[in-house]
Amino acid sequence: MVIRLENITKHYRVGEEHIRALDGASLEVGENEYVAIMGTSGSGKSTLMNILGCLDRPTAGTYELDGTLTTALSARSLANVRNERIGFVFQSFELLPRLTALKNVELPLIYSKAGWWGRRTRAKEALRRVGLGDRMRHRPNQLSGGQKQRVAIARALVARPAILLADEPTGNLDSRTSDEILALFAELHRQGQTIIMVTHEPDVARHAKRVVRMKDGRVQSDLPIEQDPLYESTREAVPFAAPAADTPAAPPVRRARNSATLRLLRPILIPLLLLYQSIVLALGQIWANKIRSMLTTVGIIIGVASVTAVVAALTGLKQNVLSEFESFGTNKIFILPYPPDTGRRQVYRWADLRFRPHDFDGLLEHCPSVARFTRVCDFQRSISHGTRSDQNVEITGIEPSWHQTENRTVTMGRPFSLIDNTDSRAVCLINLTAQQKLGLDADPTGQDVMIGDRRYIVVGVVESRAESSMFGGGRSDSEVLVPFNTAYDASQNLHIVAACRSPELSDEAREEIRFFVRNRRRLGVEKPDNFRIEAVQKYVDQFKSIATAMTMVAAGIVGISLLVGGVGIMNIMLVSVSERTREIGLRKAVGAQFMAILLQFLVEALVLCLLGGFVGLLGGEGITAILKSFPQAQLSKATIPGWAVALSFGFAATVGLVFGLFPAIKAALLNPIEALRHE
């Protein structure tokens, strides 16, 4: 026997009412039988069909299918039974409207281990078998009722099941089309197919070879068609014919040549194939609902675009500021006279605080981390040449080592020599702005200018820093450099600019200089420093920390929109599960397991979020390009870093997984029979 049911009961509770759909039904069906199950509404025939098809479990009793006790099988094993050993033909066809006839027939093979390699070929063979070889590319709305039922029959046969279950297969068809479908069933029966058909129409049941009548959840009678009391001899019944010896059997399953290799690769290929199928199904569903999908991903698009644009702007600003630090010199250290920080208000004399030139003799010998240094002093004077003048110009006294320390070269003429500094000569270097304001020649070397009431000879032109410099270089202000000893006579505002051997040695250099200056100033252990040592690298590190914190805070704040988008994803996925409940029931009826449904909806949410992330990334690129087009913003170096792209996609994927998980689990947990009954 193929099927053996013993004392099957199925009880439901609807509110306070206890319903006995089946009450001790027993049935046996052998191989190549054609059985019609009849009964009035409420007799239990549909419930019996659901249990036969492993769509539902009995409350009590035993059900053996090919010797296997199905009542003891897990949900996963039952899904395999529905996929490999049972084919369903539903009264309402249950075709997926967005898929072609060929795709609908392929559906059981998506979840079949045997159907991987020849799925398309087998689906075409099944459609030709039912006479629809010329309708493979048609969608259900392009087919007649009879053609739809033929597609449903082809779908039921494509996995080559042992049993074909048909629930009211002619209920929605006209008489002529019904006769065609019943003739097809008769042909399938002659070819050896076991068929169990549920119907309430005697004219339809007459085509079977055996009639089982149900009443009040029990089998009332089980007779050959000729012995059934309602059999009408006036209507010609379809004669019984055993399977002909020359009837071609179903084509064998095509196997790949390297079967041993495939068996080894199967643990890897199964998850990959399932993932691929889920991605294809997700893209198809998204494309079928383009407008809704686009509106759903607006939150993700805005979030990703905002995150990437903000990060790009902050990165550009950071790079711009760091480049300014680089041009200024990140290895610089400034040593300045400064009142000690004792926490009390106290007046100090400038004479006690100011540096003197000899205070720093021997600095390089005692501070190995310092590569070079220069003494610098400054004051303000007016400068003039002929009838042209410039007021309140900063006059800076420098030593010859200043050019290397400050990384400022002379573009025309010569720098100061040691003799210029030793002899306090009245020579000067000017920048291009001073040259233009004073109306000097294109080559001003040798010309004289008045600094205050003293005449100086111009020996060269010093380069200016970039106009965008945050440290004041390259401004439109005039700049005049004179030898240190020459300037020190006019200004005793002395400070030191040192350069450590590398920015990484900045902390060591500061400690060495501090120890050296305290010794020179004879500051005891208890006395505080009356000077300040400022390293540019310290400010670089502080700025990097602040910029990183700002980037993270901005990304976190803007990322809230991604969470809002995630709520939208969850909402639309829940709506999708509700809309596609019957589809989920159909997929489970043809063999889809829990993980297949879970992965399908989870991948759909993930793909939706990743598509939103991709569009958002393009939007972020566009916003960044707009920001870069405004020179005032100083964001010419604004670019979206790779980590921001990875973060955006990672966050979008996380949102898809987190907010898509609940709808996916809800879909995967649906009972197949309840899902098929969903309206």
Side-chain angles (χ1 to χ4, degrees):
M1 286 295 166
V2 177
I3 290 175
R4 178 179 285 109
L5 284 83
E6 292 185 4
N7 298 319
I8 294 294
T9 62
K10 182 63 180 180
H11 299 168
Y12 297 99
R13 182 175 293 278
V14 181
E16 298 296 328
E17 186 179 2
H18 188 74
I19 300 175
R20 293 175 175 267
L22 290 177
D23 192 12
S26 298
L27 179 68
E28 291 185 357
V29 179
E31 186 176 356
N32 189 224
E33 284 203 75
Y34 189 175
V35 180
I37 301 176
M38 297 188 65
T40 59
S41 178
S43 62
K45 61 182 185 301
S46 294
T47 303
L48 180 62
M49 178 68 80
N50 295 332
I51 291 176
L52 287 173
C54 297
L55 293 173
D56 205 356
R57 291 178 181 269
T59 304
T62 59
Y63 170 24
E64 290 185 8
L65 178 63
D66 287 337
T68 301
L69 188 63
T70 62
T71 48
L73 295 178
S74 64
R76 181 174 182 176
S77 298
L78 288 175
N80 288 332
V81 169
R82 292 193 297 268
N83 180 255
E84 298 172 1
R85 302 166 74 177
I86 299 174
F88 292 92
V89 180
F90 301 97
Q91 178 181 0
S92 54
F93 317 131
E94 299 295 348
L95 301 179
L96 299 184
R98 296 188 180 93
L99 300 184
T100 63
L102 184 62
K103 291 288 187 181
N104 270 283
V105 174
E106 284 183 3
L107 194 61
L109 298 181
I110 291 178
Y111 310 107
S112 171
K113 298 177 182 178
W116 296 349
W117 318 116
R119 189 168 71 195
R120 183 61 54 88
T121 302
R122 289 176 61 175
K124 290 180 179 179
E125 290 173 353
L127 281 170
R128 294 190 186 101
R129 190 177 181 186
V130 297
L132 290 179
D134 58 342
R135 294 290 187 270
M136 294 183 183
R137 304 297 176 184
H138 289 63
R139 296 180 185 273
N141 61 357
Q142 299 170 318
L143 301 174
S144 66
Q147 290 171 336
K148 291 178 184 178
Q149 194 64 291
R150 287 174 181 269
V151 173
I153 294 171
R155 181 182 61 198
L157 296 174
V158 72
R160 297 166 188 157
I163 303 168
L164 182 65
L165 299 180
D167 186 8
E168 300 284 1
T170 62
N172 293 328
L173 304 177
D174 58 68
S175 58
R176 188 180 66 84
T177 307
S178 297
D179 290 341
E180 292 176 355
I181 296 301
L182 293 172
L184 178 60
F185 277 9
E187 178 63 26
L188 293 172
H189 175 58
R190 281 194 294 271
Q191 294 177 6
Q193 182 70 58
T194 302
I195 302 175
I196 302 175
M197 177 174 58
V198 168
T199 183
H200 64 278
E201 301 179 41
D203 289 345
V204 174
R206 183 179 296 105
H207 290 73
K209 308 309 171 190
R210 173 181 163 195
V211 177
V212 176
R213 293 186 177 274
M214 301 286 298
K215 184 177 181 180
D216 298 329
R218 295 185 177 91
V219 175
Q220 184 183 30
S221 65
D222 185 353
L223 299 171
I225 186 63
E226 294 84 358
Q227 300 177 18
D228 188 81
L230 294 181
Y231 179 74
E232 299 177 9
S233 59
T234 57
R235 181 180 175 96
E236 182 181 359
V238 177
F240 175 81
D246 57 348
T247 300
V253 177
R254 296 185 180 181
R255 300 184 180 274
R257 293 180 180 178
N258 299 325
S259 56
T261 304
L262 290 176
R263 281 196 297 271
L264 293 175
L265 294 177
R266 181 169 290 181
I268 301 174
L269 292 176
I270 290 176
L272 291 178
L273 184 64
L274 189 59
L275 179 61
Y276 167 75
Q277 292 167 346
S278 300
I279 293 174
V280 172
L281 291 172
L283 291 174
Q285 185 64 27
I286 292 171
W287 181 254
N289 299 278
K290 296 180 284 295
I291 303 299
R292 187 173 73 177
S293 300
M294 182 183 68
L295 294 176
T296 302
T297 57
V298 166
I300 303 295
I301 293 172
I302 293 175
V304 172
S306 302
V307 167
T308 51
V310 168
V311 170
L314 290 175
T315 302
L317 180 62
K318 178 180 176 181
Q319 293 299 324
N320 189 56
V321 173
L322 290 179
S323 65
E324 295 292 346
F325 275 118
E326 289 291 338
S327 64
F328 184 71
T330 56
N331 63 338
K332 284 185 189 176
I333 298 177
F334 295 90
I335 311 169
L336 310 168
Y338 199 80
D341 185 11
T342 59
R344 297 176 298 172
R345 289 196 173 186
Q346 192 170 352
V347 179
Y348 292 91
R349 296 188 307 163
W350 176 245
D352 297 332
L353 297 176
R354 68 183 179 89
F355 289 139
R356 294 168 179 80
H358 64 271
D359 288 345
F360 295 91
D361 292 343
L363 175 65
L364 298 180
E365 288 78 7
H366 291 84
C367 302
S369 298
V370 178
R372 52 191 170 272
F373 77 96
T374 179
R375 299 173 180 87
V376 179
C377 62
D378 52 67
F379 57 95
Q380 287 188 338
R381 292 288 188 275
S382 61
I383 61 174
S384 62
H385 174 74
T387 59
R388 305 180 69 169
S389 64
D390 193 6
Q391 304 298 317
N392 298 322
V393 177
E394 184 174 333
I395 313 300
T396 305
I398 63 170
E399 293 182 311
S401 59
W402 178 89
H403 295 282
Q404 286 185 312
T405 305
E406 288 281 359
N407 196 25
R408 299 274 298 280
T409 60
V410 175
T411 59
M412 189 180 300
R414 65 172 180 84
F416 296 143
S417 64
L418 291 175
I419 296 177
D420 291 333
N421 188 51
T422 303
D423 295 347
S424 303
R425 289 181 175 178
V427 294
C428 68
L429 296 168
I430 61 174
N431 67 351
L432 182 60
T433 303
Q435 178 185 354
Q436 293 172 348
K437 286 187 175 183
L438 296 180
L440 299 176
D441 296 340
D443 183 1
T445 56
Q447 293 187 274
D448 58 82
V449 297
M450 295 297 296
I451 302 178
D453 56 359
R454 186 175 180 183
R455 187 180 304 276
Y456 285 75
I457 303 299
V458 177
V459 297
V461 178
V462 68
E463 69 173 350
S464 299
R465 292 194 181 95
E467 292 184 1
S468 62
S469 175
M470 58 183 287
F471 300 101
R475 300 174 303 180
S476 59
D477 299 340
S478 300
E479 187 178 11
V480 178
L481 307 177
V482 299
F484 172 77
N485 288 340
T486 304
Y488 191 71
D489 294 337
S491 169
Q492 298 186 354
N493 182 19
L494 169 64
H495 66 275
I496 303 298
V497 180
C500 55
R501 298 189 180 278
S502 69
E504 291 75 17
L505 296 175
S506 176
D507 291 338
E508 290 85 342
R510 289 177 66 236
E511 290 302 317
E512 293 169 0
I513 292 171
R514 181 173 179 270
F515 183 78
F516 174 81
V517 176
R518 285 184 62 86
N519 280 341
R520 282 302 177 97
R521 300 200 131 190
R522 295 183 174 84
L523 298 176
V525 176
E526 298 179 356
K527 290 185 178 182
D529 296 344
N530 56 5
F531 57 91
R532 284 175 62 180
I533 302 175
E534 301 289 350
V536 174
Q537 185 61 37
K538 173 185 175 182
Y539 295 102
V540 172
D541 295 338
Q542 290 178 350
F543 174 76
K544 287 182 178 179
S545 299
I546 294 172
T548 301
M550 289 176 61
T551 302
M552 293 298 103
V553 170
I557 293 174
V558 178
I560 294 175
S561 61
L562 289 176
L563 297 179
V564 175
V567 174
I569 294 292
M570 177 182 286
N571 179 62
I572 204 64
M573 291 305 299
L574 288 172
V575 172
S576 180
V577 170
S578 178
E579 291 177 345
R580 297 158 61 189
T581 300
R582 289 181 68 89
E583 175 191 335
I584 296 168
L586 172 63
R587 292 183 181 276
K588 287 201 164 190
V590 298
Q593 298 181 6
F594 174 89
M595 186 55 65
I597 301 296
L598 176 73
L599 192 60
Q600 177 184 342
F601 281 85
L602 194 59
V603 168
E604 187 172 324
L606 181 61
V607 170
L608 202 60
C609 286
L610 289 179
L611 288 176
F614 178 74
V615 176
L617 182 61
L618 295 180
E621 287 280 6
I623 296 173
T624 302
I626 293 173
L627 293 175
K628 291 170 69 173
S629 64
F630 293 99
Q632 299 85 352
Q634 296 189 1
L635 295 176
S636 58
K637 297 183 179 179
T639 55
I640 300 176
W643 65 265
V645 176
L647 177 66
S648 298
F649 276 107
F651 204 94
T654 302
V655 167
L657 291 174
V658 171
F659 288 93
L661 186 60
F662 174 70
I665 292 176
K666 182 179 179 181
L669 289 175
L670 285 175
N671 183 287
I673 189 60
E674 292 178 0
L676 285 169
R677 291 171 178 168
H678 180 79
E679 296 296 335

